[in-house]
Amino acid sequence: MDPIKAANELGFRVGFSGYSGHLRIDPLYTVEGTDPAKSLPEFVLPPAFARETPESIKEHIKEKYLLPRLDPDEFSPEKAGRQWDFDWFDKAKVPLEPTLPRSVVVPVWELPFRRKKKGSDEGKWEPSSVQVDVSELMVGAQDSGLPRAVGATKDLVRGSINNRPFRPGGLEDSQPLERILPDGASDGKWVQEVLNGGPVQTVAPSFKQGLNLGDLTKYPRTWKIYKDPDSLDRTSDEKLNELSVQFDDLFQKAWEEDVAGIERDDHSEEQASVRSEAEGNQVDVSSTVEAGISMLDEILSVESGILDATSDSGGEQQKEAWAVSGGSEGIADHFYELVPDMALEFPFELDTFQKEAIFYLERGESVFVAAHTSAGKTVVAEYAFALASKHCTRAVYTAPIKTISNQKYRDFCGKFDVGLLTGDVSLRPEASCLIMTTEILRSMLYRGADIIRDIEWVIFDEVHYVNDVERGVVWEEVIIMLPRHINFVLLSATVPNTAEFADWIGRTKQKKIRVTGTTKRPVPLEHSLFYAGELYKICENETFISQGLKAARDAHKKKNSSTTSRGTGPSPAPDVTRAPKRETPNRGKQNKHAGSQSSRNVSGTVWGNQTNGGGQNTWGARRTTWLSLIDKLSKKSLIPVVIFCFSKNHCDKSADCLTGTDLTTSSEKSEIRIFCDKAFSRLKGSDRNLPQVVRVQNLLHRGISVHHAGLLPIVKEVVEMLFCRGVIKVLFSTETFAMGVNAPARTVVFDALRKFDGKEFRQVLPGEYTQMAGRAGRRGLDKIGTVVVMCRDEIPEERVLKHVITGSATSLESQFRLTYIMILHLLRVEELKVEDMLKRSFAEFHAQKKLPEQQQLLMRKLAQPTKTIECIKGEPTIEEYYEMYAEYEKYGDQISEAVMQSPATQQFLSPGRVIVVKSQSAQDHLLGVVVKASPSKKQYIVLVLKPDVPSMIQTPSGSSSLQDSRGAAFQQGVMLLPKARRGLEDEYCSSATSRKGSGVINIKLPHLGSAAGVAYEVKEFDSKEFQCICDSKIKIEQARLLEDGSNAAFSNTVQQLLKLKSDGNKYPPALDPRKDLKLKDMDLVETYYKWTHLLRKMAENKCHGCIKLEEHKKLARENKSHKEEVNELRFQMSDEALQRMPEFQGRIDVLKEIGCIDEDLVVQIKGRVACEMNSGEELICTECLFENQLDDLEPEEAVALMSALVFQQKNTSEPSLTPKLSQAKQRLYDTAIQLGELQAQCKLQITPEEYAQENLKFGLVEVVYEWAKGTPFADICDLTDVPEGLIVRTIVRLDETCREFRNAAAIMGNSALYKKMQTASNAIKRDIVFAASLYITGV
């Protein structure tokens, strides 16, 4: 084939190829011609790539690698508005953060005369530098966000055990390890040198050169000051010199004023607290003085004055109040002028408390909002989210229940950039608005998550949950641990002590807390009793109506009387109550919902017959009552209704007994069927046919449903969503529906007013009733919400109803308790002490609030001059003598008490025995004699000599005043009266021939009188009131003293007692406890010898026998009392006085014993492992790992055994375990017993058996084992009587426990355990247990 010639010598060849003869054109290379000129093209094309130069290479690298730009494929205009789920951190190939330096270089200031001149002839001083560890600069910094080094990116949200927690706000007074600034920087010398022309520090540490500021002109040392600017021209130089001021003097004066100002600031708080009430009133009305000030200026400028001038009505010294609840009068009226540019617009008019809260949020202040359910507290939370988005910061919404977190995520998802963090779900953690449980936030704070740097607001929903015994401590921990830059938004139901709780938060965090809210309900409530098919109104607008209760009582009496007259019909209430008592509760595995509550009964109460599941007759009667109630409510258009039953078993049985009741229309049935099909379509075939799923769907189609913790999570969410749509008409629920779901109804019904709280049956508290009743009334739909209390056999008492319905809610109380994981987290950081956490808890709030008063009292006590004792015998030793005397008195009291209580002494306390009685009013003890003894009762009638003046004695006996005068006139003898004038009491009897008495006491005790110039008293004493038993015994006439009341006998007895004191001794010698009383107790004998030894030492002291001994002892007693008061005040102000301090010391001893910390309180590797354990008891989990109890178990067996750490239900059926699992179970239980015994030895209030049973519950070991092996969920439900919902909840929590054990294995370096936990976690994460929440994924 010949080539074809073409233009410009471009040759090609045409041919055929292949079997089909395809045409093929092949280009031919240009053949160089004979003429070189003809071979050149008509024009020369530029080169495809420009010649590379160093500049072009730099430009190319800069353009491609150094200038960030968006991917044109992903961020094209066609894809605008689309969101991507892209994990920037995992996809990043280069670490986003640079390697952190371990040390930095800082300058050191030196005194001028010590500086070394370097460089040129100018002799400029170059500051030297030193290398300092980064941790030394970060430990004591006051700012909570910046000083701490940034951690790894993967730990941004969750934090790490290696991170240091951020410094909590309000801990500035805990004396941290602060960075010491150079003297030259702190006293102003550096600035003064620069102004005087000295060298400037322009070279940064470790740099060779710095900024070139040029030659700085020396600033003049004098300022020229003129009285009048016009006099500048005519002022002479001499006058200028007179008016000049030395700058050094001016600088020094200004510096001293600044220092003085700082010192004054320390006392400003105290001075502000002493403002008088008059000053406060003056500030209150100051806004009305000047008419030119606008209302807005008044709100913005005078408000702070109002807050500081709040005075105490009692006239006491005013203290600074951190909770501010006043001064908000004009905000609502001028809200849109005060907040012209709102971060979030609302389609409705805001209430007053909402406007006030938003105004304070705009000002960057913390708020506490207390309002009833459905009052609109969420508006404040939404605005905090909007502010965080506007400020490019973050906001955190914490909730006590996971259900609330999921629901809030769905509600906020369309409005804000929202993320969700719970125990098993982590969605978009990089979002600006995060919703999480309070436990997650606590973990982030302890683990120092870097995301905390960006948080501006933390919203605490349902703050009244702080009263929860189990989890209330979490709220207190989080509030205490939050850094200073974070503000609070606290949302709570109405509680009595809102201001007190807010004051605690403000005082703890050292910031003002604005308290606002409302007690007004958006929908008023109407309370009624339902009895015998009728409704009786008993309360309206918070006012109790007695007439309605009386009408219900009349109907009850009428019904009972008619039943009794007929003699037929159902049995009365006592018979119904007794019937369940004979019933044995079935706890078999088939009785799925038979809980512990259903087998209990409370007799003698109004609601006793409603706490049991009874027989068919009982539930038949209940069915009739429910049908009657639903019919009544339907006729009055009071549907939908939530019926609160305080038992899962009652909820299920009540719903099941309404067979044949259909409350939905055909369109509603279709909607329910479509919704259920979509929701349950994510389940696999066998899970869709679970008995609970089928049963609930059948109920839903008829407009009836149940809601309690025993339901599967997906079933519970379906019920909640359908109820919010309004297609469920009757819902039987436990009280968790009122706490966890924001779903109001038209009517709320209480099946009973008694509940079982896990320990005992008790009355429903007013706060609980208010929380549940608040679900009645839909805002915008209903004018009135209806609350109905069911009455079956009896009508409640009026006081019970008044207390429950109109009583005040439960006050917020501290549930703070020490936990091992809290102690270990705080011990990891030296500047955060556990004592700081204790003293800032709500439990210690009142004690810490009194510290300023105690400080002032201590200063006054220390300022009091001590009284000096001048000794006439030389150097005073009265302090030493008084110490011995006080100890002598103490030992003497111990001996006396032991002697008097000893049975051996009773034989000595016979009539006539001289004793010494402890004085009640006088300083000296009283000498007396036993007149009559009653050893069995240890009661004795004693005549004692009184130190009172005889003329002041009034004898209350049967004798006349003449008898008193006779007793006073004839003190030394007996006067014989004529027989006609002689009474029975004066009948003459000689002392030698005393008659035997009958034992009757005719005188009135106590009997007062006087004889021989001494007053006496006859009264009954206990043996504990005796000081000692003397070795003397006198003769007495018992019959004449007690039966006759003879003055002669009394005079004779008194004279014998006086003779015993005539020897110069105050009291006769006492019986020797060892020789006479034959006491053989070793401790008592040792005390007796100490007592006698002190007596000898006191006799050897030169103060003994001094004429001024009593006076000096009194002064010594006062000085010692003063010293003890000072020491007591110092103790009350110290950490040792904290309530939890003994428990803290005991827990520290436990941690030392098991090796979590050493003797210096340094956390060891065992303690770091314990810090990872949040879901189970940390000590048991740690010991289990370090004893390698899981090493010989398969992954399925290990995760089954771990279920005992997270399962919470107490009473379950006994599981059937393999021999290997049984052995592992016993081994883990023995470990818990040993830990309980150790804690008991360290004086903690713990019983080993209770400790083990409380923290280890093995009811689901078999279920989890079968589930991990792949058994279908329907089959494992037949292995136990635990409800399906609790099974799912336990397995979900178990996955979190596996993650914690996996992290612990990484710390320990146990790779085998790490892989085992990974395998176990994958084995349980499947099917219905880990089905995604409908709130998160949608339907």
Side-chain angles (χ1 to χ4, degrees):
M1 182 177 179
D2 297 331
I4 301 174
K5 295 288 185 179
N8 295 330
E9 293 294 324
L10 179 64
F12 58 88
R13 182 174 56 189
V14 179
F16 297 92
S17 65
Y19 294 99
S20 58
H22 291 154
L23 183 65
R24 185 178 66 182
I25 299 176
D26 296 326
L28 297 177
Y29 294 100
T30 304
V31 180
E32 185 177 354
T34 57
D35 189 1
K38 294 182 179 180
S39 64
L40 294 175
E42 296 180 357
F43 62 93
V44 179
L45 295 174
F49 298 99
R51 185 180 297 276
E52 297 290 350
T53 63
E55 290 76 12
S56 64
I57 294 175
K58 290 181 179 179
E59 188 67 25
H60 173 69
I61 294 175
K62 177 181 177 182
E63 180 75 17
K64 186 170 183 178
Y65 297 103
L66 301 183
L67 294 180
R69 62 182 62 188
L70 300 176
D71 188 351
D73 295 332
E74 292 291 339
F75 295 90
S76 61
E78 293 80 7
K79 297 181 179 181
R82 177 183 168 190
Q83 295 183 1
W84 292 269
D85 294 330
F86 188 79
D87 194 341
W88 295 96
F89 303 123
D90 290 345
K91 299 298 181 181
K93 298 179 181 179
V94 182
L96 299 183
E97 70 282 340
T99 303
L100 296 175
R102 295 186 178 181
S103 60
V104 294
V105 181
V106 297
V108 177
W109 186 80
E110 298 175 349
L111 294 172
F113 59 84
R114 292 183 178 175
R115 297 172 183 170
K116 296 178 181 180
K117 306 295 182 179
K118 299 179 182 179
S120 60
D121 298 335
E122 289 113 358
K124 292 185 177 180
W125 167 63
E126 296 181 4
S128 60
S129 305
V130 294
Q131 189 171 347
V132 182
D133 191 6
V134 174
S135 61
E136 296 182 10
L137 299 178
M138 295 179 180
V139 167
Q142 296 296 321
D143 192 357
S144 59
L146 296 178
R148 208 202 70 177
V150 180
T153 305
K154 62 183 180 63
D155 300 326
L156 174 69
V157 178
R158 297 282 184 172
S160 171
I161 196 67
N162 299 320
N163 290 349
R164 304 170 69 88
F166 290 94
R167 181 171 181 79
L171 287 182
E172 284 74 15
D173 57 345
S174 62
Q175 299 179 358
L177 304 174
E178 297 184 357
R179 178 174 53 182
I180 301 176
L181 298 176
D183 294 336
S186 58
D187 59 9
K189 291 183 179 179
W190 281 3
V191 181
Q192 185 177 358
E193 288 182 7
V194 174
L195 294 176
N196 290 337
V200 182
Q201 295 187 20
T202 60
V203 182
S206 74
F207 279 66
K208 294 182 179 180
Q209 60 183 9
L211 296 175
N212 184 11
L213 301 178
D215 296 332
L216 296 179
T217 304
K218 181 178 180 180
Y219 201 87
R221 295 174 61 88
T222 60
W223 288 351
K224 296 180 180 180
I225 303 176
Y226 305 97
K227 294 181 179 179
D228 188 0
D230 298 336
S231 63
L232 178 62
D233 298 333
R234 60 178 183 272
T235 305
S236 62
D237 295 338
E238 293 80 7
K239 184 170 292 186
L240 285 176
N241 292 333
E242 293 176 0
L243 295 175
S244 64
V245 179
Q246 290 293 328
F247 177 77
D248 290 345
D249 300 336
L250 183 64
F251 189 89
Q252 183 178 4
K253 182 179 180 181
W255 185 264
E256 291 175 353
E257 288 179 355
D258 288 342
V259 175
I262 295 174
E263 293 176 353
R264 284 194 300 269
D265 290 341
D266 295 338
H267 304 287
S268 60
E269 181 178 344
E270 180 180 354
Q271 294 174 358
S273 64
V274 193
R275 289 183 180 177
S276 63
E277 187 175 355
E279 290 175 341
N281 296 334
Q282 182 179 359
V283 178
D284 289 335
V285 300
S286 61
S287 58
T288 60
V289 175
E290 200 171 330
I293 300 180
S294 66
M295 187 64 182
L296 300 183
D297 295 335
E298 176 186 349
I299 295 174
L300 297 176
S301 62
V302 183
E303 189 177 29
S304 59
I306 295 177
L307 304 177
D308 295 336
T310 307
S311 59
D312 192 2
S313 59
E316 299 178 356
Q317 179 179 351
Q318 176 64 26
K319 305 180 184 63
E320 183 177 7
W322 295 98
V324 184
S325 56
S328 306
E329 285 73 18
I331 294 177
D333 298 334
H334 301 269
F335 173 72
Y336 295 103
E337 301 173 38
L338 293 170
V339 190
D341 184 19
M342 294 182 63
L344 179 65
E345 298 291 339
F346 296 95
F348 51 85
E349 181 64 23
L350 299 175
D351 292 339
T352 301
F353 79 93
Q354 294 171 336
K355 293 179 179 178
E356 293 175 359
I358 290 175
F359 171 71
Y360 294 132
L361 292 182
E362 285 283 357
R363 294 180 54 175
E365 299 185 32
S366 301
V367 296
F368 190 122
V369 181
H372 285 295
T373 305
S374 303
K377 299 188 291 290
T378 310
V379 168
V380 184
E382 292 182 6
Y383 200 83
F385 273 2
L387 279 179
S389 302
K390 181 179 179 181
H391 299 163
C392 296
T393 58
R394 297 180 190 269
V396 171
Y397 184 100
T398 68
I401 298 177
K402 182 180 174 182
T403 305
I404 301 180
S405 300
N406 294 339
Q407 191 178 40
K408 293 300 180 183
Y409 177 81
R410 184 196 63 174
D411 296 341
F412 294 152
C413 211
K415 300 179 182 179
F416 309 104
D417 179 26
V418 185
L420 178 65
L421 291 175
T422 58
D424 58 324
V425 177
S426 179
L427 293 177
R428 304 191 69 249
E430 71 279 1
S432 62
C433 303
L434 293 175
I435 300 174
M436 63 183 68
T437 56
T438 318
E439 282 80 3
I440 297 294
L441 180 57
R442 177 182 64 171
S443 177
M444 292 168 57
L445 290 169
Y446 279 137
R447 299 165 68 91
D450 286 308
I451 200 173
I452 295 175
R453 301 174 188 271
D454 305 333
I455 297 176
E456 182 183 8
W457 304 97
V458 171
I459 303 155
F460 292 92
D461 197 7
E462 308 287 352
V463 176
H464 52 273
Y465 209 83
V466 74
N467 281 344
D468 185 75
V469 177
E470 294 295 328
R471 300 173 59 205
V473 62
V474 181
W475 272 256
E476 294 191 51
E477 288 184 70
V478 170
I479 291 172
I480 295 171
M481 288 294 295
L482 281 175
R484 182 178 56 185
H485 68 275
I486 296 178
N487 292 322
F488 296 81
V489 177
L490 302 124
L491 310 178
S492 169
T494 52
V495 291
N497 58 338
T498 301
E500 179 189 11
F501 191 78
D503 192 22
W504 165 69
I505 297 177
R507 189 173 299 276
T508 302
K509 311 308 293 183
Q510 295 293 301
K511 59 173 61 178
K512 297 284 187 181
I513 306 294
R514 298 282 184 165
V515 180
T516 184
T518 179
T519 57
K520 179 183 177 182
R521 289 188 175 276
V523 180
L525 296 183
E526 181 182 276
H527 305 262
S528 302
L529 295 179
F530 182 79
Y531 180 74
E534 294 295 332
L535 290 173
Y536 301 91
K537 187 189 300 183
I538 59 173
C539 185
E540 187 177 14
N541 295 327
E542 306 296 329
T543 304
F544 196 82
I545 304 174
S546 302
Q547 292 82 359
L549 180 61
K550 184 177 182 300
R553 288 189 177 280
D554 293 341
H556 175 258
K557 292 180 181 178
K558 183 177 179 181
K559 180 180 178 181
N560 286 349
S561 61
S562 61
T563 304
T564 305
S565 61
R566 288 195 304 266
T568 58
S571 303
D575 296 337
V576 178
T577 307
R578 287 194 297 267
K581 291 183 179 181
R582 297 190 297 267
E583 180 185 4
T584 302
N586 181 17
R587 299 208 52 82
K589 296 185 179 181
Q590 290 75 18
N591 190 5
K592 172 70 67 174
H593 304 286
S596 60
Q597 300 177 13
S598 63
S599 62
R600 298 176 180 265
N601 181 65
V602 177
S603 59
T605 61
V606 176
W607 313 102
N609 60 331
Q610 301 174 24
T611 59
N612 207 309
Q616 296 181 357
N617 294 334
T618 303
W619 282 105
R622 293 175 71 90
R623 179 179 184 276
T624 304
T625 306
W626 290 130
L627 292 176
S628 174
L629 173 66
I630 294 172
D631 181 63
K632 190 75 173 179
L633 296 178
S634 300
K635 291 180 179 179
K636 293 194 172 187
S637 300
L638 299 179
I639 298 289
V641 56
V642 177
I643 302 175
F644 286 108
C645 305
F646 300 108
S647 165
K648 297 187 290 289
N649 187 26
H650 276 193
C651 290
D652 293 328
K653 288 190 175 183
S654 298
D656 293 338
C657 73
L658 295 180
T659 54
T661 303
D662 195 345
L663 303 174
T664 55
T665 62
S666 58
S667 60
E668 291 173 338
K669 292 181 187 297
S670 176
E671 181 181 355
I672 293 171
R673 184 175 291 104
I674 294 174
F675 186 90
C676 291
D677 291 343
K678 288 183 178 180
F680 295 127
S681 63
R682 64 189 64 199
L683 303 179
K684 72 175 187 179
S686 60
D687 290 340
R688 294 180 195 174
N689 298 323
L690 287 172
Q692 187 182 98
V693 175
V694 175
R695 171 176 157 272
V696 171
Q697 286 192 78
N698 293 333
L699 290 173
L700 288 173
H701 292 158
R702 295 185 283 116
I704 303 169
S705 189
V706 294
H707 186 282
H708 52 72
L711 293 182
L712 293 166
I714 190 171
V715 175
K716 192 187 300 183
E717 290 177 351
V718 167
V719 172
E720 293 167 2
M721 291 181 174
L722 288 177
F723 187 84
C724 291
R725 293 190 177 194
V727 294
I728 296 179
K729 309 303 180 181
V730 177
L731 178 65
F732 293 91
S733 171
T734 56
E735 60 183 317
T736 54
F737 185 81
M739 174 67 74
V741 184
N742 184 17
R746 177 67 180 87
T747 305
V748 164
V749 176
F750 287 88
D751 181 40
L753 289 183
R754 293 184 65 84
K755 60 174 287 189
F756 183 75
D757 60 0
K759 297 180 181 179
E760 60 181 357
F761 276 97
R762 61 170 175 81
Q763 207 77 30
V764 174
L765 299 177
E768 297 170 340
Y769 181 89
T770 303
Q771 179 78 18
M772 290 180 275
R775 295 302 176 191
R778 298 161 295 181
R779 191 169 187 176
L781 297 176
D782 305 323
K783 294 183 179 180
I784 295 177
T786 304
V787 183
V788 178
V789 178
M790 296 290 292
C791 301
R792 292 186 174 86
D793 300 315
E794 294 185 14
I795 306 297
E797 298 181 7
E798 182 174 354
R799 60 175 183 83
V800 174
L801 291 173
K802 279 187 176 180
H803 173 69
V804 172
I805 297 176
T806 63
S808 59
T810 306
S811 300
L812 296 178
E813 297 179 357
S814 174
Q815 302 296 336
F816 187 85
R817 68 180 188 277
L818 281 173
T819 60
Y820 290 105
I821 195 169
M822 178 200 305
I823 296 173
L824 290 171
H825 274 301
L826 296 178
L827 289 180
R828 290 193 302 115
V829 189
E830 295 178 0
E831 67 269 21
L832 293 181
K833 300 188 299 182
V834 184
E835 291 85 346
D836 293 328
M837 180 74 79
L838 290 175
K839 66 175 61 174
R840 281 163 177 80
S841 66
F842 190 37
E844 297 285 346
F845 168 60
H846 294 290
Q848 296 297 314
K849 195 174 181 180
K850 295 177 181 177
L851 284 182
E853 296 179 3
Q854 293 178 339
Q855 180 72 28
Q856 295 177 4
L857 181 59
L858 177 61
M859 297 303 295
R860 288 197 298 266
K861 290 284 184 184
L862 293 176
Q864 290 179 1
T866 57
K867 299 178 181 179
T868 58
I869 301 175
E870 298 178 357
C871 183
I872 60 177
K873 295 185 178 182
E875 189 69 22
T877 59
I878 186 63
E879 287 83 2
E880 179 185 358
Y881 183 86
Y882 182 75
E883 289 291 338
M884 292 189 295
Y885 174 76
E887 198 170 359
Y888 168 80
E889 290 284 325
K890 182 184 71 173
Y891 287 146
D893 292 340
Q894 292 179 7
I895 294 172
S896 300
E897 183 176 357
V899 166
M900 295 306 151
Q901 297 301 321
S902 174
T905 61
Q906 304 303 322
Q907 58 180 337
F908 292 92
L909 292 175
S910 57
R913 173 65 64 181
V914 179
I915 59 173
V916 178
V917 181
K918 298 176 183 178
S919 175
Q920 301 295 331
S921 58
Q923 181 179 354
D924 296 331
H925 298 305
L926 307 177
L927 184 65
V929 61
V930 177
V931 179
K932 185 176 181 180
S934 177
S936 59
K937 299 181 180 179
K938 295 186 180 180
Q939 297 288 332
Y940 303 88
I941 298 178
V942 182
L943 182 146
V944 293
L945 302 182
K946 304 278 287 184
D948 302 334
V949 181
S951 60
M952 301 298 295
I953 296 297
Q954 300 294 330
T955 304
S957 61
S959 306
S960 62
S961 59
L962 178 62
Q963 177 183 344
D964 297 338
S965 61
R966 291 201 311 262
F970 301 95
Q971 299 170 357
Q972 303 297 330
V974 180
M975 185 186 80
L976 296 180
L977 296 177
K979 191 170 184 179
R981 297 180 58 190
R982 202 181 298 166
L984 283 176
E985 68 278 4
D986 293 326
E987 185 65 34
Y988 175 73
C989 286
S990 63
S991 59
T993 59
S994 57
R995 61 187 176 87
K996 186 176 181 180
S998 61
V1000 179
I1001 303 175
N1002 293 326
I1003 62 173
K1004 184 178 179 181
L1005 300 179
H1007 176 83
L1008 301 177
S1010 62
V1014 179
Y1016 64 85
E1017 181 181 9
V1018 181
K1019 62 180 296 187
E1020 194 172 23
F1021 289 93
D1022 189 88
S1023 60
K1024 296 179 181 179
E1025 301 179 67
F1026 295 165
Q1027 177 68 20
C1028 68
I1029 304 174
C1030 300
D1031 62 357
S1032 303
K1033 193 172 183 181
I1034 63 174
K1035 294 182 179 180
I1036 63 169
E1037 299 175 279
Q1038 187 185 75
R1040 299 187 62 204
L1041 290 173
L1042 300 180
E1043 298 179 19
D1044 304 338
S1046 171
N1047 285 337
F1050 281 118
S1051 178
N1052 185 26
T1053 305
V1054 170
Q1055 290 181 26
Q1056 292 185 69
L1057 289 175
L1058 291 176
K1059 286 180 181 179
L1060 297 176
K1061 301 177 65 175
S1062 61
D1063 297 337
N1065 296 325
K1066 185 179 291 187
Y1067 310 114
L1071 291 173
D1072 190 290
R1074 189 172 60 89
K1075 296 179 180 179
D1076 299 329
L1077 301 179
K1078 308 296 182 182
L1079 296 181
K1080 298 180 181 180
D1081 184 81
M1082 296 297 296
D1083 296 333
L1084 183 59
V1085 172
E1086 182 181 0
T1087 304
Y1088 173 74
Y1089 281 124
K1090 290 180 180 178
W1091 181 64
T1092 55
H1093 178 67
L1094 282 173
L1095 194 60
R1096 288 195 299 268
K1097 288 185 66 177
M1098 289 169 56
E1100 296 172 0
N1101 193 289
K1102 64 180 182 180
C1103 293
H1104 191 70
C1106 178
I1107 58 175
K1108 290 191 174 183
L1109 178 60
E1110 293 299 327
E1111 178 185 349
H1112 289 175
K1113 278 168 54 178
K1114 182 179 179 181
L1115 293 177
R1117 184 184 297 108
E1118 293 177 358
N1119 290 341
K1120 185 178 181 181
S1121 176
H1122 177 266
K1123 187 183 298 184
E1124 289 176 350
E1125 291 176 0
V1126 170
N1127 293 336
E1128 178 65 22
L1129 281 174
R1130 285 175 174 166
F1131 173 76
Q1132 293 296 334
M1133 297 170 62
S1134 68
D1135 294 340
E1136 300 298 325
L1138 298 174
Q1139 296 179 11
R1140 298 283 182 177
M1141 204 61 191
E1143 180 186 355
F1144 169 62
Q1145 297 295 342
R1147 290 183 180 269
I1148 287 291
D1149 295 339
V1150 172
L1151 293 175
K1152 288 181 181 178
E1153 188 67 27
I1154 64 177
C1156 288
I1157 58 177
D1158 60 9
E1159 293 298 327
D1160 298 326
L1161 303 185
V1162 177
V1163 180
Q1164 306 299 301
I1165 184 173
K1166 201 170 186 179
R1168 294 184 60 196
V1169 169
C1171 288
E1172 294 285 347
M1173 304 302 167
N1174 293 305
S1175 53
E1177 214 283 332
E1178 50 267 28
L1179 294 189
I1180 299 179
C1181 295
T1182 305
E1183 289 298 314
C1184 174
L1185 289 178
F1186 276 84
E1187 292 178 358
N1188 300 322
Q1189 296 188 13
L1190 303 180
D1191 286 2
D1192 60 339
L1193 301 178
E1194 296 298 324
E1196 296 82 3
E1197 296 170 333
V1199 73
L1201 184 66
M1202 291 162 55
S1203 67
L1205 299 168
V1206 297
F1207 183 49
Q1208 294 181 339
Q1209 185 168 320
K1210 296 181 180 179
N1211 300 319
T1212 60
S1213 58
E1214 188 67 24
S1216 176
L1217 305 180
T1218 63
K1220 197 173 181 180
L1221 271 178
S1222 299
Q1223 182 181 359
K1225 168 189 172 183
Q1226 187 60 41
R1227 186 169 54 195
L1228 185 61
Y1229 185 81
D1230 293 341
T1231 300
I1233 290 292
Q1234 293 173 6
L1235 288 172
E1237 293 173 349
L1238 175 61
Q1239 295 176 81
Q1241 292 172 7
C1242 294
K1243 299 180 181 179
L1244 295 178
Q1245 301 298 323
I1246 289 177
T1247 304
E1249 290 75 15
E1250 293 182 1
Y1251 172 78
Q1253 294 172 5
E1254 187 69 25
N1255 294 289
L1256 292 177
K1257 300 180 178 66
F1258 299 94
L1260 285 186
V1261 174
E1262 180 187 8
V1263 171
V1264 176
Y1265 177 67
E1266 294 295 334
W1267 175 254
K1269 289 174 62 178
T1271 306
F1273 189 81
D1275 296 338
I1276 69 170
C1277 291
D1278 296 334
L1279 300 175
T1280 180
D1281 59 350
V1282 178
E1284 295 90 335
L1286 295 182
I1287 296 176
V1288 172
R1289 181 181 177 186
T1290 301
I1291 298 178
V1292 169
R1293 291 189 62 194
L1294 200 53
D1295 178 61
E1296 184 179 355
T1297 307
C1298 290
R1299 183 168 60 249
E1300 294 170 358
F1301 274 49
R1302 192 168 64 242
N1303 296 338
I1307 296 175
M1308 299 168 59
N1310 191 340
S1311 59
L1313 180 62
Y1314 186 94
K1315 295 178 182 178
K1316 184 177 294 185
M1317 290 296 101
Q1318 185 71 45
T1319 305
S1321 177
N1322 296 335
I1324 63 175
K1325 292 175 67 173
R1326 61 182 177 86
D1327 299 346
I1328 191 173
V1329 173
F1330 284 86
S1333 171
L1334 299 179
Y1335 289 117
I1336 299 174
T1337 61
V1339 181

